[in-house]
Amino acid sequence: MNGLIMDYQLNIPLIMKRAETVYADKEIVTRLPDKSIHRYTYADFVKRAKKLTLALQKLGVQPGERIGTFCWNNYHHLEAYFGIPGAGGVLHTLNLRLSPDELTYISNHAEDRVVIVDKVLLPLFEKFKDNIAGLRHVIVAAPEPSEDLAEGYLDYEKLLAEQDEKDFVYADPQENEAVAMCYTSGTTGRPKGVLYSHRAIVLHSLTAASTSVMAMSESDTVVPVVPMFHANAWGIPFTATLVGAKQVFPGQYLDGESLLDLLEKEKVTFTAGVPTIWLGISIALDKQPDRWKLVNGLRMVVGGSAAPEALIRNLDKHNLKVIQAWGMTEMAPLGTMANLPSYLLDSPSDEQYAYRSLQGTPAPLIEIRGRGEEGFIPWDGQALGELEVRGAWVASAYYNSPEGADRFTEDGFFRTGDIVAIDPHGCIRIADRSKDLIKSGGEWISSVDLENALMGHPAVAEAAVIAIAHPKWQERPLALVVLKEGETASVNELMTFLQPRFAKWSLPDNIEFIEAIPRTSTGKFMKAALRTRFKDYTLPNVEF
């Protein structure tokens, strides 16, 4: 129809072109394997990403082919985020924390044709490299050209040096073409692939940058602690490049002290990661509160699992602002964000903390609803149902996988598997994963609520709650607790701590102290492993 807006394709090259023309002098920082710091500008980054595109094209990469990356968070990986799409390839980030068998399956299922590998990760990569059918090239990335590579490997720096930037031409791919690919963690069945389109990534980046979500801007200095090999580091590298924020990559050093040093020296204003990371930082700050001088109000987005209210309160004492987010690989991954709403700005601090410990409201362009046993649940903050979502960057199917087709409804919603309550303002509270809810005597008990409460005790580092079979009540909760180093607590003490917060029937039947809670490759509790470990556990016949 005449007179409509021009047909302007939303794609990744547009983000890189903007970085080149508007933010050329902004800085990108990486901590290298030897712990030294690498610095260059957006102009340098774009020049090298262009050369990577040219190198991939000369290696015969065809449009739509999957190009794997096996890298830490660093400047090479950022170049791949943009250089691979520039060549028409599909960026496929491989999770280096998975087993060789899992990586073999994922790489073969995705049909990776080229893989870019950090040199420090070669020993891991070589455990499954020879099992990747159809792999044509392996490109090894390091800060300097490598003279000691085995036959069959290509050197990243030498490949780039052979290219003439003048040969590069910006592509203008159709916005609905595939541009990136991630696999789910595979907690049930095989990992499943999710393809993201150019349009999805661009809209996700625009929305994430908006003030109602992450409020990221050119004035920010951003550290994505969440791995770039997991759900595209929650899209942060794309978003930061879009708005021209200074980017700081921690490389392989994710311990509390290393991160705090980086946050301090680079004057970081925004970072994102899983609760485990922020717990380590919280402990380090408590031990040495005067050692690091961080930016007041540093925003720390937390996702992957819920951050306990106690952790949010403690980091507030250090002038660090934790913001809960929720999402999934199937959502590219942003779903909701718990920025404090205007109606709570003058509320008592306890009410504000209660809200900040929730998962928040849906991002713009995301729809939510909850489905209970008798239909859709009311938005009353109490009724529980499985969260279903749809939107501009939500998957409509898994890649080449009929398994999991039942996760997608006929009217276009994705069934998340998370059991939630939704309040009248659309704020969700995740009660549990559907497989982790405890059904006792016909009533549902939230393991998440119990875990977060236990982690509010000053002696508790982490807690996981699982269901144990019960002859009368079907299931009863067992709490598994890891104490902080040097701290002590008894079962009776922790039970007394919980009693004012929960109905008697929803309290754990017992508490066991363990050394560590097993985690998935993305930092979530592996409750399946705990259920296996305690499958023959007998609950004590006592009352607390």
Side-chain angles (χ1 to χ4, degrees), residues 112-113 476:
D112 290 332
R113 295 296 177 251
R476 291 297 300 156

Side-chain angles (χ1 to χ4, degrees), residues 484-504:
K484 293 179 181 176
E485 185 179 353
E487 297 286 349
T488 59
S490 67
V491 172
N492 279 321
E493 181 183 345
L494 294 181
M495 287 293 193
T496 301
F497 179 74
L498 289 176
Q499 283 169 355
R501 296 165 171 79
F502 296 92
K504 185 176 180 180

Side-chain angles (χ1 to χ4, degrees), residues 425-459:
H425 298 280
C427 180
I428 67 171
R429 172 179 64 84
I430 294 182
D432 233 323
R433 293 290 292 168
S434 57
K435 61 181 178 292
D436 294 331
L437 266 178
I438 301 163
K439 192 163 190 177
S440 182
E443 299 289 343
W444 292 110
I445 298 174
S446 167
S447 66
V448 172
D449 289 347
L450 288 169
E451 289 161 1
N452 287 342
L454 281 165
M455 286 187 276
H457 189 282

Side-chain angles (χ1 to χ4, degrees), residues 30-46:
T30 296
R31 176 169 275 157
L32 299 176
D34 65 359
K35 293 195 173 182
S36 65
I37 296 296
H38 175 277
R39 298 178 187 274
Y40 71 172
T41 65
Y42 269 74
D44 300 322
F45 145 67
V46 170

Side-chain angles (χ1 to χ4, degrees), residues 190-346:
R190 285 287 200 177
K192 301 174 185 67
V194 180
L195 278 173
Y196 309 129
S197 66
H198 284 271
R199 179 177 182 270
I201 295 294
V202 172
L203 290 176
H204 184 279
S205 301
L206 284 166
T207 303
S210 67
T211 54
S212 62
V213 187
M214 292 184 181
M216 193 186 299
S217 72
E218 183 272 340
S219 62
D220 276 312
T221 297
V222 176
V223 173
V225 178
V226 57
M228 293 172 75
F229 56 73
H230 172 58
N232 294 333
W234 300 347
I236 290 170
F238 290 120
T239 303
T241 303
L242 176 71
V243 301
K246 175 182 173 181
Q247 298 186 60
V248 180
F249 296 107
Q252 66 209 71
Y253 300 104
L254 304 179
D255 59 283
E257 290 200 3
S258 294
L259 286 172
L260 282 164
D261 287 343
L262 203 60
L263 296 174
E264 177 187 40
K265 290 174 182 175
E266 300 300 328
K267 297 181 172 57
V268 172
T269 60
F270 180 98
T271 184
V274 297
T276 312
I277 297 292
W278 305 145
L279 177 62
I281 282 180
S282 178
I283 291 171
L285 288 172
D286 286 345
K287 288 181 177 178
Q288 296 177 285
D290 299 322
R291 177 175 169 182
W292 293 280
K293 305 298 181 185
L294 305 181
V295 172
N296 280 341
L298 164 61
R299 287 128 55 217
M300 309 174 79
V301 174
V302 59
S305 57
E309 183 178 319
L311 177 63
I312 299 173
R313 286 178 179 267
N314 194 59
L315 287 170
D316 268 8
K317 294 177 183 177
H318 298 287
N319 297 313
L320 307 178
K321 182 182 179 184
V322 173
I323 309 168
Q324 296 263 18
W326 169 86
M328 302 183 74
T329 302
E330 293 89 344
M331 301 179 68
L334 181 64
T336 66
M337 197 89 173
N339 289 303
L340 197 68
S342 59
Y343 63 84
L344 287 177
L345 292 178
D346 297 323

Side-chain angles (χ1 to χ4, degrees), residues 454 459-464 479-483 489 494 511-517:
L454 281 165
V460 175
E462 294 182 327
L480 306 165
V481 168
V482 179
L483 294 176
L494 294 181
I511 296 172
E512 291 286 339
F513 297 98
I514 60 177
E515 291 186 1
I517 296 172

